Structure formats: C-alpha cells, structure tokens
Amino acid sequence: MDARDKQLLRSMRLELCTEVLVDGVVIQHLCQEGILTDSHVQEIKAQTTTQRKNMMLLDILPTRGPKAFDVFLDSLQEFPWVKDKLVMKRKEMTVQDPAGVTELAPPVLEASPTDQQLNRLARRLGAEWEHMALCLGLSHTDIYRCKVQHPHNLQSQILAALVLWRQRQGKAATIGSLQASLLTEEGDPSLIHYMLE
C-alpha cells in the first residue's frame, strides 16, 4: 500500500471505525481476494466490539501489499457513502515526495528524540510501526511485549517500542535513524517533520 493510501486510512480511522461493519461482506471480500488470510479473519473476529474489529482491520490492511487499498474500496459495496468519501479524499490528497521533503540540518538528525517527539510520532504511525520497529533493531519478542503491555491502545504500543529502542541504542538513537527506518519501510517521511513541530 502506498504512503498516500496509508495516510488516508490513518486520517479517516475514527470515521471508518464508526461507519463500516466489517463483519459481513467486507471481510469475506478481502479474504476472497487474498488480502486477508484465515488467521487475519480469526484475529479480527476475536475482537469484542465492532469498533475494535474495524481497528484491527485498519491495522492489518496497510501491511497487505499494493492492492490492499483498492480491494478494500471494492469491498465497501454496502457502504457506498464511505467508498465515495474515500475515493474523493484520495484524489484530493497529495503526499510529499521524499525528494521534495525539506532536508533536516545535521544537528537535528544527530539529536536524540524527546519523549514528547516520540509521542507525536506514535500518534501518527499506523500498523506499519511493527516493521519500523524491526528496522530499528527491536525483535519480534520486544514487539510482542509492547503489545501485551498495552493490549487495547495502539499508540501506547508504538510509544513503548520507541522508548525501548531509545533506551537500548543510547546515543545512537537519533532522529536520523528514525527517518532512515521510515524511508526503509516506505513510510511517509513528513512524519519526522510533524514529530519535530
């Protein structure tokens, strides 16, 4: 899934969670088209509320390849108003090209991020945070621990992982290394600028 579509899902997350019922045709369509696996479907259905099911789906979708967003749009046949809104916002959105992002000064790139900056970044990251954490040198076990410690709050999971990374890396935990891992994950490099505001 490209950065624009990930950003769109993040920006409309709360609205999608309240307007779409993923239990029926949506999940079945995504499964039929190979976007979701049986284990994804079980993980989604295991959630206790409709909103949590929707959040779980929105966490999984960005990790499911380049076709995921378009297939998700196709699955919204029962929710044409949501589909139309997503299509309209997708056309309006412009994602900054990594080449067009203002370069940060070396002193900024070499600085260690503060708690407040990490919290701002955690607010903006979606499901791709796990891949980013792996790029930063955390293990699958570390990621699992962050999820277990904060089972119902994605932002807290991400923040816990970022703080753990900073603790382990010490002086090597820089804004530059965060930016590099975002670019490795084809994330939105403007997130670093947002973090620094």
Side-chain angles (χ1 to χ4, degrees):
M1 184 176 294
D2 69 26
R4 176 188 61 174
D5 296 336
K6 288 179 183 179
Q7 188 177 337
L8 178 56
L9 286 180
R10 268 195 300 271
S11 69
M12 290 193 60
R13 184 177 179 87
L14 293 176
E15 193 172 334
L16 289 170
C17 284
T18 57
E19 292 214 26
V20 178
L21 300 171
V22 299
D23 251 351
V25 176
V26 174
I27 285 184
Q28 295 310 317
H29 183 79
L30 291 167
C31 192
Q32 173 187 308
E33 296 300 318
I35 300 300
L36 296 180
T37 64
D38 289 338
S39 64
H40 290 133
V41 173
Q42 289 173 359
E43 194 174 358
I44 291 166
K45 288 186 174 184
Q47 301 304 307
T48 54
T49 66
T50 300
Q51 190 172 13
R52 286 202 179 137
K53 289 176 185 178
N54 289 344
M55 283 187 195
M56 181 61 67
L57 174 65
L58 293 174
D59 289 343
I60 293 169
L61 272 178
T63 68
R64 300 304 298 156
K67 298 187 335 177
F69 189 83
D70 291 320
V71 175
F72 176 61
L73 284 178
D74 291 342
S75 74
L76 295 173
Q77 298 305 321
E78 293 180 341
F79 307 95
W81 64 94
V82 176
K83 180 179 179 178
D84 293 344
K85 192 167 192 175
L86 279 169
V87 169
M88 185 182 71
K89 285 202 178 258
R90 188 184 200 194
K91 286 178 184 171
E92 292 171 1
M93 279 186 83
T94 56
V95 173
Q96 288 182 315
D97 180 33
V101 173
T102 309
E103 295 223 5
L104 297 171
V108 174
L109 291 172
E110 293 164 8
S112 184
T114 65
D115 287 343
Q116 184 180 9
Q117 290 170 332
L118 291 179
N119 195 31
R120 286 177 65 84
L121 180 61
R123 267 188 264 149
R124 285 294 178 104
L125 286 173
E128 69 271 15
W129 77 271
E130 293 181 38
H131 301 291
M132 182 180 159
L134 291 170
C135 290
L136 289 171
L138 297 182
S139 68
H140 288 285
T141 305
D142 295 328
I143 293 169
Y144 176 76
R145 283 190 188 127
C146 293
K147 287 175 146 185
V148 168
Q149 289 169 352
H150 308 279
H152 305 298
N153 190 326
L154 181 64
Q155 182 181 341
S156 295
Q157 292 171 12
I158 299 168
L159 183 58
L162 290 171
V163 169
L164 179 61
W165 160 75
R166 189 179 61 191
Q167 287 171 343
R168 285 205 184 141
Q169 296 295 316
K171 291 186 183 217
T174 64
I175 291 170
S177 56
L178 273 177
Q179 186 176 42
S181 69
L182 267 174
L183 292 173
T184 301
E185 268 312 299
E186 297 177 5
D188 182 358
S190 67
L191 288 175
I192 296 296
H193 291 276
Y194 170 80
M195 179 184 89
L196 295 171
E197 286 175 2

Coordinates of all heavy atoms in Angstrom, one line a residue, residues 30-95:
L30 N -12.4 -9.3 1.2 CA -10.9 -9.2 1.4 C -10.2 -10.5 1.5 O -9.1 -10.7 1.0 CB -10.6 -8.3 2.6 CG -11.0 -6.9 2.5 CD1 -10.9 -6.2 3.9 CD2 -10.1 -6.1 1.6
C31 N -10.9 -11.5 2.1 CA -10.4 -12.9 2.2 C -10.4 -13.5 0.8 O -9.4 -14.1 0.4 CB -11.2 -13.6 3.2 SG -10.5 -15.2 3.7
Q32 N -11.5 -13.4 0.1 CA -11.6 -14.0 -1.2 C -10.6 -13.5 -2.2 O -10.0 -14.2 -3.0 CB -13.0 -13.7 -1.8 CG -13.2 -14.1 -3.2 CD -14.6 -13.6 -3.8 OE1 -15.6 -13.8 -3.1 NE2 -14.5 -12.9 -4.9
E33 N -10.2 -12.2 -2.1 CA -9.2 -11.6 -3.0 C -7.8 -11.8 -2.5 O -6.9 -11.2 -3.1 CB -9.5 -10.1 -3.1 CG -10.9 -9.8 -3.8 CD -11.0 -10.4 -5.2 OE1 -10.0 -10.3 -6.0 OE2 -12.0 -11.0 -5.5
G34 N -7.6 -12.5 -1.4 CA -6.3 -12.8 -0.9 C -5.6 -11.7 -0.1 O -4.4 -11.8 0.1
I35 N -6.4 -10.7 0.3 CA -5.8 -9.6 1.1 C -5.7 -10.1 2.5 O -4.7 -9.8 3.2 CB -6.6 -8.3 0.9 CG1 -6.7 -7.8 -0.5 CG2 -6.1 -7.2 1.8 CD1 -5.4 -7.5 -1.2
L36 N -6.7 -10.7 3.0 CA -6.7 -11.3 4.4 C -6.5 -12.8 4.3 O -7.0 -13.5 3.5 CB -8.0 -10.9 5.1 CG -8.3 -9.5 5.3 CD1 -9.6 -9.3 6.1 CD2 -7.2 -8.8 6.1
T37 N -5.8 -13.3 5.3 CA -5.6 -14.7 5.5 C -6.7 -15.2 6.5 O -7.3 -14.4 7.2 CB -4.2 -15.1 6.0 OG1 -4.1 -14.5 7.3 CG2 -3.1 -14.6 5.1
D38 N -6.8 -16.5 6.6 CA -7.7 -17.0 7.6 C -7.4 -16.6 9.0 O -8.2 -16.3 9.9 CB -7.8 -18.6 7.6 CG -8.5 -19.1 6.3 OD1 -9.2 -18.3 5.7 OD2 -8.2 -20.2 6.0
S39 N -6.1 -16.5 9.3 CA -5.6 -16.1 10.7 C -6.0 -14.6 10.9 O -6.4 -14.2 12.0 CB -4.2 -16.3 10.9 OG -3.4 -15.6 10.0
H40 N -5.9 -13.8 9.8 CA -6.3 -12.4 10.0 C -7.8 -12.3 10.3 O -8.2 -11.5 11.2 CB -6.1 -11.6 8.7 CG -4.7 -11.3 8.3 ND1 -4.1 -11.5 7.1 CD2 -3.7 -10.9 9.1 CE1 -2.9 -11.2 7.1 NE2 -2.5 -10.8 8.3
V41 N -8.6 -13.1 9.6 CA -10.1 -13.1 9.8 C -10.4 -13.5 11.2 O -11.2 -12.9 11.9 CB -10.8 -14.0 8.8 CG1 -12.3 -14.2 9.1 CG2 -10.6 -13.5 7.4
Q42 N -9.7 -14.6 11.7 CA -9.9 -15.0 13.1 C -9.5 -13.9 14.1 O -10.2 -13.7 15.1 CB -9.1 -16.3 13.4 CG -9.7 -17.5 12.7 CD -8.8 -18.7 12.8 OE1 -7.7 -18.7 13.4 NE2 -9.2 -19.8 12.2
E43 N -8.4 -13.3 13.8 CA -7.9 -12.2 14.7 C -8.9 -11.0 14.8 O -9.2 -10.5 15.8 CB -6.6 -11.7 14.2 CG -5.8 -10.9 15.2 CD -4.4 -10.5 14.7 OE1 -4.0 -10.9 13.6 OE2 -3.7 -9.7 15.4
I44 N -9.5 -10.7 13.6 CA -10.5 -9.6 13.6 C -11.8 -10.0 14.3 O -12.3 -9.3 15.1 CB -10.8 -9.2 12.1 CG1 -9.6 -8.6 11.5 CG2 -12.0 -8.3 12.0 CD1 -9.7 -8.4 10.0
K45 N -12.2 -11.3 14.0 CA -13.5 -11.7 14.6 C -13.4 -11.9 16.1 O -14.4 -11.9 16.9 CB -14.0 -13.0 14.0 CG -14.5 -12.7 12.6 CD -15.1 -13.9 11.9 CE -15.8 -13.6 10.6 NZ -16.5 -14.7 10.0
A46 N -12.1 -12.1 16.6 CA -11.9 -12.3 18.0 C -12.1 -11.1 18.9 O -12.2 -11.1 20.1 CB -10.5 -12.9 18.3
Q47 N -12.1 -9.9 18.2 CA -12.2 -8.7 18.9 C -13.7 -8.6 19.5 O -14.6 -9.1 18.9 CB -12.0 -7.5 18.0 CG -10.6 -7.5 17.4 CD -9.5 -7.5 18.4 OE1 -9.4 -6.7 19.3 NE2 -8.6 -8.5 18.2
T48 N -13.8 -7.9 20.6 CA -15.0 -7.9 21.4 C -16.1 -6.9 20.9 O -17.3 -7.2 21.1 CB -14.8 -7.6 22.9 OG1 -14.0 -6.4 23.0 CG2 -14.0 -8.7 23.5
T49 N -15.7 -5.8 20.2 CA -16.7 -4.9 19.7 C -16.5 -4.6 18.2 O -15.4 -4.9 17.7 CB -16.6 -3.5 20.5 OG1 -15.3 -2.9 20.1 CG2 -16.7 -3.7 22.0
T50 N -17.5 -4.1 17.6 CA -17.4 -3.8 16.2 C -16.3 -2.8 16.0 O -15.6 -2.9 15.0 CB -18.8 -3.2 15.7 OG1 -19.8 -4.2 15.9 CG2 -18.7 -2.8 14.2
Q51 N -16.2 -1.8 16.8 CA -15.2 -0.8 16.7 C -13.8 -1.4 16.7 O -12.9 -1.0 15.9 CB -15.3 0.3 17.7 CG -14.4 1.5 17.5 CD -14.7 2.7 18.4 OE1 -15.4 2.5 19.4 NE2 -14.2 3.8 18.1
R52 N -13.6 -2.3 17.6 CA -12.2 -3.0 17.7 C -12.0 -3.8 16.5 O -10.8 -4.0 16.1 CB -12.2 -3.8 19.0 CG -12.0 -2.9 20.2 CD -11.4 -3.7 21.4 NE -11.2 -2.7 22.5 CZ -11.5 -3.0 23.7 NH1 -12.0 -4.2 24.0 NH2 -11.3 -2.2 24.7
K53 N -13.0 -4.5 16.0 CA -12.9 -5.3 14.8 C -12.4 -4.4 13.6 O -11.5 -4.7 12.9 CB -14.2 -6.0 14.4 CG -14.5 -7.1 15.4 CD -15.9 -7.7 15.1 CE -16.2 -8.7 16.1 NZ -17.5 -9.4 15.9
N54 N -13.1 -3.2 13.5 CA -12.7 -2.3 12.5 C -11.2 -1.8 12.7 O -10.5 -1.7 11.7 CB -13.6 -1.1 12.5 CG -15.0 -1.4 12.0 OD1 -15.2 -2.4 11.4 ND2 -16.0 -0.5 12.3
M55 N -10.9 -1.5 13.9 CA -9.5 -1.0 14.2 C -8.5 -2.1 13.8 O -7.4 -1.8 13.2 CB -9.3 -0.6 15.6 CG -9.9 0.7 16.0 SD -9.5 1.1 17.7 CE -10.7 2.4 18.0
M56 N -8.8 -3.3 14.1 CA -7.9 -4.4 13.8 C -7.7 -4.5 12.3 O -6.6 -4.7 11.8 CB -8.4 -5.7 14.4 CG -7.5 -6.9 14.1 SD -5.8 -6.8 14.8 CE -6.2 -6.9 16.5
L57 N -8.8 -4.4 11.5 CA -8.7 -4.5 10.1 C -7.9 -3.3 9.6 O -7.0 -3.5 8.7 CB -10.1 -4.4 9.5 CG -10.2 -4.3 7.9 CD1 -9.6 -5.6 7.3 CD2 -11.6 -4.1 7.4
L58 N -8.1 -2.1 10.1 CA -7.3 -1.0 9.6 C -5.9 -1.1 10.0 O -5.0 -0.4 9.4 CB -8.0 0.3 10.2 CG -9.3 0.6 9.7 CD1 -9.9 1.8 10.4 CD2 -9.3 0.9 8.2
D59 N -5.5 -1.8 11.1 CA -4.1 -2.1 11.4 C -3.5 -3.1 10.5 O -2.3 -3.0 10.1 CB -4.0 -2.6 12.9 CG -4.3 -1.6 13.9 OD1 -4.3 -0.4 13.6 OD2 -4.6 -2.0 15.1
I60 N -4.3 -4.0 10.0 CA -3.8 -5.1 9.1 C -3.6 -4.6 7.7 O -2.6 -4.9 7.0 CB -4.7 -6.3 9.2 CG1 -4.6 -7.0 10.6 CG2 -4.3 -7.4 8.1 CD1 -5.6 -8.1 10.9
L61 N -4.6 -3.9 7.2 CA -4.6 -3.5 5.8 C -3.3 -2.9 5.2 O -2.9 -3.3 4.1 CB -5.8 -2.5 5.5 CG -7.1 -3.2 5.2 CD1 -8.2 -2.1 5.0 CD2 -7.1 -4.0 3.9
P62 N -2.7 -1.9 5.9 CA -1.5 -1.3 5.3 C -0.3 -2.3 5.1 O 0.6 -2.0 4.3 CB -1.1 -0.2 6.3 CG -2.4 0.0 7.1 CD -3.1 -1.2 7.1
T63 N -0.4 -3.4 5.8 CA 0.7 -4.4 5.7 C 0.4 -5.5 4.6 O 1.3 -6.4 4.4 CB 0.9 -5.2 7.0 OG1 -0.2 -6.0 7.2 CG2 1.1 -4.2 8.1
R64 N -0.7 -5.3 3.8 CA -1.1 -6.4 2.9 C -0.8 -6.2 1.5 O -1.5 -6.7 0.6 CB -2.6 -6.8 3.2 CG -2.9 -7.2 4.6 CD -2.1 -8.4 5.0 NE -2.4 -9.5 4.2 CZ -1.5 -10.5 4.0 NH1 -0.4 -10.6 4.6 NH2 -1.9 -11.5 3.2
G65 N 0.1 -5.3 1.2 CA 0.5 -5.2 -0.2 C -0.1 -4.1 -1.0 O -1.0 -3.4 -0.5
P66 N 0.3 -3.9 -2.3 CA -0.1 -2.7 -3.0 C -1.6 -2.7 -3.5 O -2.1 -1.7 -3.7 CB 0.8 -2.8 -4.3 CG 1.4 -4.2 -4.3 CD 1.3 -4.7 -2.9
K67 N -2.2 -3.9 -3.6 CA -3.6 -4.0 -4.0 C -4.6 -3.8 -2.8 O -5.8 -3.6 -3.1 CB -3.9 -5.4 -4.6 CG -3.2 -5.8 -5.8 CD -3.7 -7.1 -6.4 CE -4.4 -8.0 -5.4 NZ -5.0 -9.2 -6.0
A68 N -4.1 -3.8 -1.6 CA -5.0 -3.8 -0.4 C -6.0 -2.7 -0.4 O -7.2 -2.9 -0.1 CB -4.2 -3.9 0.9
F69 N -5.6 -1.5 -0.7 CA -6.5 -0.4 -0.6 C -7.6 -0.4 -1.6 O -8.8 -0.2 -1.4 CB -5.7 1.0 -0.7 CG -6.6 2.2 -0.4 CD1 -6.8 2.6 0.9 CD2 -7.2 2.9 -1.4 CE1 -7.6 3.7 1.2 CE2 -8.0 4.0 -1.1 CZ -8.2 4.4 0.2
D70 N -7.2 -0.8 -2.9 CA -8.2 -0.8 -4.0 C -9.2 -2.0 -3.7 O -10.4 -1.8 -3.9 CB -7.5 -1.0 -5.3 CG -6.8 0.2 -5.7 OD1 -7.3 1.3 -5.5 OD2 -5.7 0.1 -6.3
V71 N -8.7 -3.1 -3.2 CA -9.6 -4.2 -2.9 C -10.5 -3.8 -1.7 O -11.7 -4.1 -1.7 CB -8.8 -5.5 -2.6 CG1 -9.8 -6.6 -2.1 CG2 -8.1 -5.9 -3.8
F72 N -10.0 -3.1 -0.7 CA -10.8 -2.6 0.4 C -11.9 -1.7 -0.2 O -13.1 -1.8 0.3 CB -9.9 -1.8 1.4 CG -10.7 -1.2 2.5 CD1 -11.5 -2.0 3.4 CD2 -10.7 0.2 2.7 CE1 -12.2 -1.4 4.4 CE2 -11.4 0.7 3.8 CZ -12.1 0.0 4.6
L73 N -11.6 -0.8 -1.1 CA -12.6 0.1 -1.7 C -13.7 -0.8 -2.4 O -14.9 -0.5 -2.2 CB -12.0 1.0 -2.7 CG -11.2 2.2 -2.2 CD1 -10.7 3.0 -3.4 CD2 -12.1 3.1 -1.4
D74 N -13.3 -1.8 -3.1 CA -14.3 -2.7 -3.8 C -15.2 -3.4 -2.7 O -16.3 -3.7 -3.0 CB -13.6 -3.8 -4.6 CG -12.9 -3.2 -5.8 OD1 -13.2 -2.1 -6.2 OD2 -12.0 -3.9 -6.4
S75 N -14.6 -3.7 -1.5 CA -15.4 -4.4 -0.5 C -16.5 -3.6 0.1 O -17.3 -4.1 0.8 CB -14.4 -5.0 0.6 OG -14.0 -4.0 1.4
L76 N -16.4 -2.3 -0.1 CA -17.4 -1.4 0.6 C -18.7 -1.2 -0.2 O -19.3 -0.1 -0.1 CB -16.7 0.0 0.8 CG -15.5 0.0 1.8 CD1 -14.8 1.3 1.8 CD2 -16.0 -0.4 3.2
Q77 N -19.1 -2.2 -1.0 CA -20.3 -2.1 -1.8 C -21.6 -1.7 -0.9 O -22.5 -1.0 -1.4 CB -20.6 -3.3 -2.6 CG -19.5 -3.7 -3.6 CD -19.2 -2.5 -4.6 OE1 -20.1 -1.8 -5.0 NE2 -17.9 -2.3 -4.9
E78 N -21.6 -2.3 0.3 CA -22.8 -2.0 1.2 C -22.7 -0.6 1.8 O -23.6 -0.2 2.5 CB -22.8 -3.1 2.3 CG -23.2 -4.4 1.8 CD -23.2 -5.5 2.9 OE1 -22.7 -5.2 4.0 OE2 -23.8 -6.5 2.6
F79 N -21.5 0.1 1.7 CA -21.3 1.4 2.3 C -20.9 2.4 1.2 O -19.8 2.9 1.3 CB -20.3 1.3 3.4 CG -20.6 0.2 4.4 CD1 -20.0 -1.1 4.3 CD2 -21.4 0.4 5.4 CE1 -20.3 -2.1 5.2 CE2 -21.7 -0.6 6.4 CZ -21.2 -1.8 6.2
P80 N -21.7 2.6 0.2 CA -21.3 3.5 -0.9 C -20.9 4.9 -0.5 O -20.0 5.5 -1.1 CB -22.5 3.5 -1.8 CG -23.7 3.1 -1.0 CD -23.1 2.2 0.1
W81 N -21.5 5.4 0.6 CA -21.2 6.8 1.0 C -19.7 6.8 1.6 O -19.0 7.8 1.4 CB -22.2 7.3 2.1 CG -22.2 6.5 3.3 CD1 -21.5 6.7 4.5 CD2 -23.0 5.3 3.6 NE1 -21.8 5.8 5.4 CE2 -22.7 4.9 4.9 CE3 -23.8 4.5 2.8 CZ2 -23.2 3.7 5.5 CZ3 -24.4 3.4 3.4 CH2 -24.1 3.0 4.7
V82 N -19.3 5.7 2.2 CA -17.9 5.7 2.8 C -17.0 5.5 1.6 O -15.9 6.2 1.5 CB -17.8 4.5 3.8 CG1 -16.4 4.3 4.2 CG2 -18.7 4.7 4.9
K83 N -17.3 4.6 0.7 CA -16.5 4.4 -0.5 C -16.3 5.7 -1.3 O -15.2 6.1 -1.7 CB -17.1 3.3 -1.4 CG -16.2 3.1 -2.6 CD -16.9 2.0 -3.5 CE -16.0 1.7 -4.7 NZ -16.6 0.6 -5.5
D84 N -17.4 6.4 -1.5 CA -17.3 7.7 -2.3 C -16.4 8.7 -1.6 O -15.6 9.4 -2.2 CB -18.7 8.3 -2.5 CG -19.6 7.4 -3.4 OD1 -19.0 6.6 -4.1 OD2 -20.8 7.6 -3.4
K85 N -16.5 8.8 -0.3 CA -15.7 9.7 0.5 C -14.3 9.4 0.4 O -13.4 10.3 0.3 CB -16.2 9.7 2.0 CG -15.6 10.9 2.8 CD -16.4 11.0 4.1 CE -16.0 12.3 4.7 NZ -16.8 12.6 5.9
L86 N -13.9 8.1 0.5 CA -12.5 7.6 0.4 C -12.0 8.0 -0.9 O -10.8 8.5 -1.0 CB -12.4 6.1 0.7 CG -12.4 5.7 2.2 CD1 -12.6 4.2 2.3 CD2 -11.2 6.1 2.9
V87 N -12.7 7.7 -2.0 CA -12.3 8.0 -3.3 C -12.0 9.5 -3.5 O -11.0 9.9 -4.1 CB -13.3 7.4 -4.4 CG1 -13.0 7.9 -5.8 CG2 -13.3 5.9 -4.3
M88 N -13.0 10.3 -3.0 CA -12.9 11.7 -3.2 C -11.6 12.2 -2.4 O -10.8 13.0 -3.0 CB -14.1 12.4 -2.7 CG -14.1 13.9 -2.9 SD -15.6 14.7 -2.2 CE -15.3 14.5 -0.4
K89 N -11.4 11.8 -1.2 CA -10.3 12.3 -0.4 C -9.0 11.8 -0.9 O -8.0 12.5 -0.9 CB -10.5 11.8 1.1 CG -11.5 12.6 1.8 CD -11.2 12.5 3.3 CE -12.2 13.3 4.1 NZ -11.7 14.6 4.5
R90 N -9.0 10.6 -1.5 CA -7.8 10.0 -2.1 C -7.4 10.9 -3.3 O -6.2 11.1 -3.5 CB -8.1 8.6 -2.6 CG -6.9 7.9 -3.1 CD -7.3 6.5 -3.7 NE -6.2 5.6 -3.7 CZ -6.3 4.4 -4.4 NH1 -7.4 4.1 -5.1 NH2 -5.3 3.6 -4.4
K91 N -8.3 11.4 -4.1 CA -8.0 12.3 -5.2 C -7.4 13.6 -4.7 O -6.5 14.2 -5.4 CB -9.2 12.5 -6.1 CG -9.6 11.3 -6.9 CD -10.8 11.6 -7.7 CE -11.2 10.3 -8.5 NZ -12.6 10.5 -9.1
E92 N -8.0 14.1 -3.6 CA -7.6 15.4 -3.1 C -6.2 15.4 -2.4 O -5.5 16.4 -2.4 CB -8.6 15.9 -2.0 CG -9.9 16.3 -2.6 CD -10.9 16.5 -1.4 OE1 -10.6 16.5 -0.3 OE2 -12.1 16.8 -1.8
M93 N -5.9 14.2 -1.9 CA -4.6 14.1 -1.1 C -3.4 14.2 -1.9 O -3.3 13.6 -3.0 CB -4.6 12.7 -0.3 CG -5.4 12.7 0.9 SD -5.2 11.2 1.8 CE -3.7 11.6 2.7
T94 N -2.4 14.8 -1.4 CA -1.1 14.8 -2.0 C -0.1 14.4 -0.9 O -0.1 15.0 0.2 CB -0.7 16.2 -2.6 OG1 -0.8 17.2 -1.5 CG2 -1.6 16.6 -3.7
V95 N 0.7 13.5 -1.3 CA 1.7 13.0 -0.3 C 3.0 13.6 -0.8 O 3.3 13.5 -2.0 CB 1.8 11.5 -0.2 CG1 3.0 11.1 0.6 CG2 0.5 10.9 0.3

